[in-house]
Amino acid sequence: MSEVQDAASDTRERLMDVAERLFAERGYGNVPTRMIAEEANANSAAVHYHFGSKENLLEAVFRRRLEPLNRERIAKIEAAVAGSEGAPDVEVVLRAFIEPTLRKPRNDGERAFRLLSGRASTDPSPEVKRILFQAYDAVARAFADAVARACPHLSREELFWRVACVYGAMLYIRADNGRLQPVFGEEFSLSDPEGALRYAIAFMKVGMQAPPAAPLD
């Protein structure tokens, strides 16, 4: 690779690193491309040169983190199904889906992306929704299929609501907004991956295995 190509690749990575942090801190809609370029020590037009648009930059940020993560999650989900005789163990399926997303971040970039993904899940902008739905579609479908096999006692409607509760718990933990510390004390934190996996998955398992809700009168 030539020096010019090296420089371009380095600029592209810096832009993604800065965008990831700023989107996580401020929200996608509150970060202009000029701010990203300035903090990345790049030309003001660098975002459009390397990515074409801010939307494409956000998509590149998600793709960089999620492609390897979702390959791992899908492989674990498929192994949970293939390794079972009959209905797979719902705890194994839940752990395959959730554990890779709740591991302790290894660096500032992973910490920023964890916050970004939680924030983006409630972002109302169409471009953010499109990117998220596309980025998570394959793993979401794999999980929905596996958990349906693990919980044959549930109707499609009830499965929908229980999976929504799983998503809600997982995303709230990932967002880690500090809301519960004033209530329970600073010694507890949603950024504790061991606590999240120990308690959250046990809670979700019981919820998924519970008998169907009583029918309406």
Side-chain angles (χ1 to χ4, degrees), residues 4 11 20 26 46 59-60 82 127 141 146 151 156 172 180 195 198 206 217:
V4 173
T11 300
E20 184 174 62
R26 299 167 179 256
E59 187 169 9
E127 57 267 37
R141 291 179 184 277
C151 301
R156 191 71 175 170
Y172 191 84
L180 294 178
R198 180 181 180 187
V206 173
D217 292 336

Side-chain angles (χ1 to χ4, degrees), residues 119-192:
R119 179 188 284 271
S121 67
T122 59
D123 193 304
S125 61
E127 57 267 37
V128 175
K129 285 186 175 182
R130 178 193 68 79
I131 290 167
L132 257 65
F133 290 177
Q134 180 176 304
Y136 288 111
D137 186 71
V139 70
R141 291 179 184 277
F143 173 64
D145 179 67
V147 81
R149 292 169 182 252
C151 301
H153 63 295
L154 299 179
S155 69
R156 191 71 175 170
E157 180 180 11
E158 188 146 7
L159 183 70
F160 165 82
W161 285 107
R162 295 194 189 189
V163 167
C165 291
V166 169
Y167 267 84
M170 181 176 66
L171 292 172
Y172 191 84
I173 292 169
R174 283 173 63 79
D176 192 15
N177 63 10
R179 176 63 187 90
L180 294 178
Q181 270 78 7
V183 179
F184 287 91
E186 295 297 327
E187 67 269 30
F188 303 114
S189 172
L190 293 179
S191 62
D192 170 19

Side-chain angles (χ1 to χ4, degrees), residues 70 90 94 139 142:
N70 282 343
V90 70
L94 286 166
V139 70

Side-chain angles (χ1 to χ4, degrees), residues 8 10 16-17 32-33 41 47 53 78-79 125 140 150 161 192 198 203:
D10 181 63
M16 285 194 285
D17 290 343
T33 57
N41 296 316
V47 169
S53 67
E78 290 177 346
S125 61
W161 285 107
D192 170 19
R198 180 181 180 187
F203 176 81

